mmCIF file of all heavy atoms in Angstrom:
data_model
loop_
_atom_site.group_PDB
_atom_site.id
_atom_site.type_symbol
_atom_site.label_atom_id
_atom_site.label_comp_id
_atom_site.label_asym_id
_atom_site.label_seq_id
_atom_site.Cartn_x
_atom_site.Cartn_y
_atom_site.Cartn_z
ATOM 1 N N PHE A 1 3.772 -2.395 -6.884
ATOM 2 C CA PHE A 1 4.188 -0.988 -6.963
ATOM 3 C C PHE A 1 4.621 -0.497 -5.590
ATOM 4 O O PHE A 1 5.639 0.199 -5.439
ATOM 5 C CB PHE A 1 3.026 -0.132 -7.494
ATOM 6 C CG PHE A 1 3.449 1.191 -8.060
ATOM 7 C CD1 PHE A 1 3.650 1.350 -9.423
ATOM 8 C CD2 PHE A 1 3.653 2.296 -7.233
ATOM 9 C CE1 PHE A 1 4.043 2.569 -9.953
ATOM 10 C CE2 PHE A 1 4.045 3.514 -7.751
ATOM 11 C CZ PHE A 1 4.243 3.656 -9.117
ATOM 12 N N SER A 2 3.884 -0.893 -4.571
ATOM 13 C CA SER A 2 4.225 -0.538 -3.198
ATOM 14 C C SER A 2 5.588 -1.102 -2.795
ATOM 15 O O SER A 2 6.408 -0.424 -2.168
ATOM 16 C CB SER A 2 3.136 -1.075 -2.262
ATOM 17 O OG SER A 2 3.603 -1.228 -0.952
ATOM 18 N N LYS A 3 5.840 -2.343 -3.164
ATOM 19 C CA LYS A 3 7.103 -2.984 -2.800
ATOM 20 C C LYS A 3 8.286 -2.333 -3.489
ATOM 21 O O LYS A 3 9.363 -2.171 -2.907
ATOM 22 C CB LYS A 3 7.042 -4.471 -3.153
ATOM 23 C CG LYS A 3 8.260 -5.264 -2.698
ATOM 24 C CD LYS A 3 8.062 -6.757 -2.944
ATOM 25 C CE LYS A 3 9.254 -7.550 -2.416
ATOM 26 N NZ LYS A 3 9.065 -9.013 -2.627
ATOM 27 N N LYS A 4 8.103 -1.903 -4.745
ATOM 28 C CA LYS A 4 9.211 -1.332 -5.510
ATOM 29 C C LYS A 4 9.464 0.137 -5.180
ATOM 30 O O LYS A 4 10.611 0.580 -5.154
ATOM 31 C CB LYS A 4 8.943 -1.478 -7.011
ATOM 32 C CG LYS A 4 9.001 -2.909 -7.521
ATOM 33 C CD LYS A 4 9.021 -2.953 -9.036
ATOM 34 C CE LYS A 4 10.333 -2.442 -9.604
ATOM 35 N NZ LYS A 4 10.433 -2.640 -11.068
ATOM 36 N N TYR A 5 8.396 0.888 -4.910
ATOM 37 C CA TYR A 5 8.554 2.349 -4.817
ATOM 38 C C TYR A 5 8.115 2.955 -3.491
ATOM 39 O O TYR A 5 8.343 4.145 -3.267
ATOM 40 C CB TYR A 5 7.777 3.011 -5.970
ATOM 41 C CG TYR A 5 8.231 2.528 -7.319
ATOM 42 C CD1 TYR A 5 7.426 1.698 -8.101
ATOM 43 C CD2 TYR A 5 9.493 2.858 -7.812
ATOM 44 C CE1 TYR A 5 7.853 1.234 -9.336
ATOM 45 C CE2 TYR A 5 9.923 2.390 -9.037
ATOM 46 C CZ TYR A 5 9.100 1.585 -9.799
ATOM 47 O OH TYR A 5 9.535 1.118 -11.024
ATOM 48 N N HIS A 6 7.508 2.148 -2.625
ATOM 49 C CA HIS A 6 7.106 2.609 -1.282
ATOM 50 C C HIS A 6 6.248 3.871 -1.333
ATOM 51 O O HIS A 6 6.359 4.745 -0.471
ATOM 52 C CB HIS A 6 8.345 2.829 -0.409
ATOM 53 C CG HIS A 6 9.217 1.609 -0.303
ATOM 54 N ND1 HIS A 6 8.932 0.553 0.533
ATOM 55 C CD2 HIS A 6 10.354 1.269 -0.977
ATOM 56 C CE1 HIS A 6 9.857 -0.391 0.398
ATOM 57 N NE2 HIS A 6 10.723 0.015 -0.515
ATOM 58 N N THR A 7 5.410 3.972 -2.326
ATOM 59 C CA THR A 7 4.553 5.133 -2.500
ATOM 60 C C THR A 7 3.434 5.117 -1.454
ATOM 61 O O THR A 7 2.769 4.094 -1.280
ATOM 62 C CB THR A 7 3.918 5.121 -3.902
ATOM 63 O OG1 THR A 7 4.949 4.930 -4.865
ATOM 64 C CG2 THR A 7 3.174 6.423 -4.171
ATOM 65 N N PRO A 8 3.195 6.212 -0.744
ATOM 66 C CA PRO A 8 2.094 6.258 0.224
ATOM 67 C C PRO A 8 0.754 5.931 -0.432
ATOM 68 O O PRO A 8 0.475 6.352 -1.559
ATOM 69 C CB PRO A 8 2.134 7.703 0.731
ATOM 70 C CG PRO A 8 3.554 8.125 0.540
ATOM 71 C CD PRO A 8 4.002 7.454 -0.723
ATOM 72 N N ILE A 9 -0.061 5.175 0.295
ATOM 73 C CA ILE A 9 -1.350 4.711 -0.223
ATOM 74 C C ILE A 9 -2.470 5.206 0.691
ATOM 75 O O ILE A 9 -2.366 5.126 1.920
ATOM 76 C CB ILE A 9 -1.386 3.178 -0.309
ATOM 77 C CG1 ILE A 9 -0.338 2.688 -1.322
ATOM 78 C CG2 ILE A 9 -2.774 2.670 -0.680
ATOM 79 C CD1 ILE A 9 -0.094 1.202 -1.269
ATOM 80 N N TYR A 10 -3.539 5.705 0.063
ATOM 81 C CA TYR A 10 -4.712 6.189 0.781
ATOM 82 C C TYR A 10 -5.930 5.444 0.247
ATOM 83 O O TYR A 10 -6.131 5.344 -0.960
ATOM 84 C CB TYR A 10 -4.904 7.696 0.567
ATOM 85 C CG TYR A 10 -3.795 8.559 1.126
ATOM 86 C CD1 TYR A 10 -2.604 8.723 0.421
ATOM 87 C CD2 TYR A 10 -3.940 9.202 2.347
ATOM 88 C CE1 TYR A 10 -1.583 9.509 0.924
ATOM 89 C CE2 TYR A 10 -2.922 10.001 2.861
ATOM 90 C CZ TYR A 10 -1.750 10.145 2.148
ATOM 91 O OH TYR A 10 -0.741 10.934 2.646
ATOM 92 N N ALA A 11 -6.761 4.946 1.158
ATOM 93 C CA ALA A 11 -7.979 4.243 0.762
ATOM 94 C C ALA A 11 -8.836 4.040 2.001
ATOM 95 O O ALA A 11 -8.361 4.150 3.135
ATOM 96 C CB ALA A 11 -7.656 2.899 0.123
ATOM 97 N N THR A 12 -10.103 3.715 1.786
ATOM 98 C CA THR A 12 -10.968 3.398 2.914
ATOM 99 C C THR A 12 -10.540 2.065 3.529
ATOM 100 O O THR A 12 -9.875 1.242 2.894
ATOM 101 C CB THR A 12 -12.433 3.306 2.484
ATOM 102 O OG1 THR A 12 -12.572 2.254 1.519
ATOM 103 C CG2 THR A 12 -12.915 4.627 1.878
ATOM 104 N N SER A 13 -10.943 1.852 4.773
ATOM 105 C CA SER A 13 -10.573 0.615 5.470
ATOM 106 C C SER A 13 -11.076 -0.614 4.726
ATOM 107 O O SER A 13 -10.379 -1.634 4.646
ATOM 108 C CB SER A 13 -11.141 0.632 6.895
ATOM 109 O OG SER A 13 -10.563 1.680 7.651
ATOM 110 N N ALA A 14 -12.279 -0.527 4.156
ATOM 111 C CA ALA A 14 -12.833 -1.662 3.427
ATOM 112 C C ALA A 14 -12.011 -1.972 2.179
ATOM 113 O O ALA A 14 -11.846 -3.136 1.802
ATOM 114 C CB ALA A 14 -14.285 -1.379 3.046
ATOM 115 N N THR A 15 -11.478 -0.939 1.539
ATOM 116 C CA THR A 15 -10.641 -1.150 0.355
ATOM 117 C C THR A 15 -9.292 -1.743 0.738
ATOM 118 O O THR A 15 -8.740 -2.592 0.028
ATOM 119 C CB THR A 15 -10.448 0.171 -0.400
ATOM 120 O OG1 THR A 15 -11.724 0.642 -0.845
ATOM 121 C CG2 THR A 15 -9.530 0.010 -1.594
ATOM 122 N N LEU A 16 -8.766 -1.324 1.866
ATOM 123 C CA LEU A 16 -7.452 -1.800 2.301
ATOM 124 C C LEU A 16 -7.498 -3.222 2.856
ATOM 125 O O LEU A 16 -6.466 -3.901 2.901
ATOM 126 C CB LEU A 16 -6.897 -0.869 3.382
ATOM 127 C CG LEU A 16 -6.494 0.536 2.924
ATOM 128 C CD1 LEU A 16 -6.207 1.428 4.129
ATOM 129 C CD2 LEU A 16 -5.285 0.487 2.005
ATOM 130 N N ALA A 17 -8.680 -3.687 3.259
ATOM 131 C CA ALA A 17 -8.796 -4.970 3.958
ATOM 132 C C ALA A 17 -8.120 -6.133 3.231
ATOM 133 O O ALA A 17 -7.408 -6.922 3.861
ATOM 134 C CB ALA A 17 -10.270 -5.283 4.225
ATOM 135 N N PRO A 18 -8.289 -6.301 1.904
ATOM 136 C CA PRO A 18 -7.634 -7.439 1.238
ATOM 137 C C PRO A 18 -6.180 -7.184 0.857
ATOM 138 O O PRO A 18 -5.516 -8.079 0.325
ATOM 139 C CB PRO A 18 -8.486 -7.625 -0.021
ATOM 140 C CG PRO A 18 -8.991 -6.261 -0.337
ATOM 141 C CD PRO A 18 -9.190 -5.579 0.989
ATOM 142 N N LEU A 19 -5.673 -5.980 1.124
ATOM 143 C CA LEU A 19 -4.321 -5.619 0.683
ATOM 144 C C LEU A 19 -3.325 -5.791 1.824
ATOM 145 O O LEU A 19 -2.817 -4.830 2.400
ATOM 146 C CB LEU A 19 -4.309 -4.174 0.173
ATOM 147 C CG LEU A 19 -5.060 -3.928 -1.133
ATOM 148 C CD1 LEU A 19 -5.166 -2.439 -1.419
ATOM 149 C CD2 LEU A 19 -4.353 -4.629 -2.290
ATOM 150 N N ASP A 20 -3.026 -7.044 2.145
ATOM 151 C CA ASP A 20 -2.002 -7.282 3.155
ATOM 152 C C ASP A 20 -0.614 -7.156 2.521
ATOM 153 O O ASP A 20 -0.466 -7.066 1.308
ATOM 154 C CB ASP A 20 -2.181 -8.669 3.773
ATOM 155 C CG ASP A 20 -2.217 -9.771 2.727
ATOM 156 O OD1 ASP A 20 -2.226 -9.455 1.521
ATOM 157 O OD2 ASP A 20 -2.251 -10.942 3.118
ATOM 158 N N GLU A 21 0.411 -7.107 3.334
ATOM 159 C CA GLU A 21 1.808 -7.066 2.890
ATOM 160 C C GLU A 21 2.108 -5.873 1.996
ATOM 161 O O GLU A 21 2.856 -5.984 1.023
ATOM 162 C CB GLU A 21 2.178 -8.365 2.158
ATOM 163 C CG GLU A 21 2.039 -9.613 3.025
ATOM 164 C CD GLU A 21 2.416 -10.882 2.285
ATOM 165 O OE1 GLU A 21 2.886 -10.780 1.144
ATOM 166 O OE2 GLU A 21 2.238 -11.957 2.855
ATOM 167 N N LEU A 22 1.562 -4.725 2.328
ATOM 168 C CA LEU A 22 1.949 -3.501 1.636
ATOM 169 C C LEU A 22 3.241 -2.965 2.240
ATOM 170 O O LEU A 22 3.450 -3.038 3.448
ATOM 171 C CB LEU A 22 0.841 -2.459 1.733
ATOM 172 C CG LEU A 22 -0.435 -2.774 0.937
ATOM 173 C CD1 LEU A 22 -1.512 -1.753 1.248
ATOM 174 C CD2 LEU A 22 -0.150 -2.799 -0.555
ATOM 175 N N TYR A 23 4.100 -2.434 1.376
ATOM 176 C CA TYR A 23 5.405 -1.960 1.815
ATOM 177 C C TYR A 23 5.459 -0.436 1.892
ATOM 178 O O TYR A 23 6.517 0.141 2.093
ATOM 179 C CB TYR A 23 6.487 -2.465 0.852
ATOM 180 C CG TYR A 23 6.617 -3.969 0.842
ATOM 181 C CD1 TYR A 23 5.756 -4.752 0.082
ATOM 182 C CD2 TYR A 23 7.592 -4.612 1.602
ATOM 183 C CE1 TYR A 23 5.862 -6.143 0.076
ATOM 184 C CE2 TYR A 23 7.708 -5.993 1.600
ATOM 185 C CZ TYR A 23 6.842 -6.758 0.834
ATOM 186 O OH TYR A 23 6.960 -8.124 0.838
ATOM 187 N N SER A 24 4.335 0.194 1.751
ATOM 188 C CA SER A 24 4.245 1.646 1.732
ATOM 189 C C SER A 24 3.601 2.152 3.018
ATOM 190 O O SER A 24 2.896 1.410 3.705
ATOM 191 C CB SER A 24 3.370 2.115 0.556
ATOM 192 O OG SER A 24 3.914 1.726 -0.669
ATOM 193 N N PRO A 25 3.789 3.439 3.316
ATOM 194 C CA PRO A 25 2.952 4.044 4.356
ATOM 195 C C PRO A 25 1.495 3.998 3.900
ATOM 196 O O PRO A 25 1.184 4.349 2.762
ATOM 197 C CB PRO A 25 3.470 5.488 4.419
ATOM 198 C CG PRO A 25 4.820 5.456 3.780
ATOM 199 C CD PRO A 25 4.779 4.365 2.755
ATOM 200 N N VAL A 26 0.609 3.539 4.764
ATOM 201 C CA VAL A 26 -0.800 3.364 4.419
ATOM 202 C C VAL A 26 -1.660 4.221 5.340
ATOM 203 O O VAL A 26 -1.473 4.208 6.561
ATOM 204 C CB VAL A 26 -1.216 1.887 4.531
ATOM 205 C CG1 VAL A 26 -2.710 1.731 4.295
ATOM 206 C CG2 VAL A 26 -0.431 1.034 3.549
ATOM 207 N N THR A 27 -2.584 4.957 4.753
ATOM 208 C CA THR A 27 -3.509 5.782 5.515
ATOM 209 C C THR A 27 -4.930 5.375 5.187
ATOM 210 O O THR A 27 -5.345 5.433 4.026
ATOM 211 C CB THR A 27 -3.320 7.276 5.202
ATOM 212 O OG1 THR A 27 -1.972 7.659 5.499
ATOM 213 C CG2 THR A 27 -4.278 8.133 6.028
#
């Protein structure tokens, strides 16, 4: 979804840890 739509993503650092190669702005 990030790769297709570049939707900003919000999550805790621990949640984001396994999500490499995101194409969206990440907070």
Side-chain angles (χ1 to χ4, degrees):
F1 200 96
S2 158
K3 185 174 183 179
K4 291 192 70 173
Y5 302 109
H6 304 281
T7 309
I9 296 168
Y10 296 80
T12 61
S13 296
T15 298
L16 291 170
L19 291 171
D20 54 354
E21 299 180 6
L22 291 173
Y23 296 82
S24 299
V26 175
T27 302

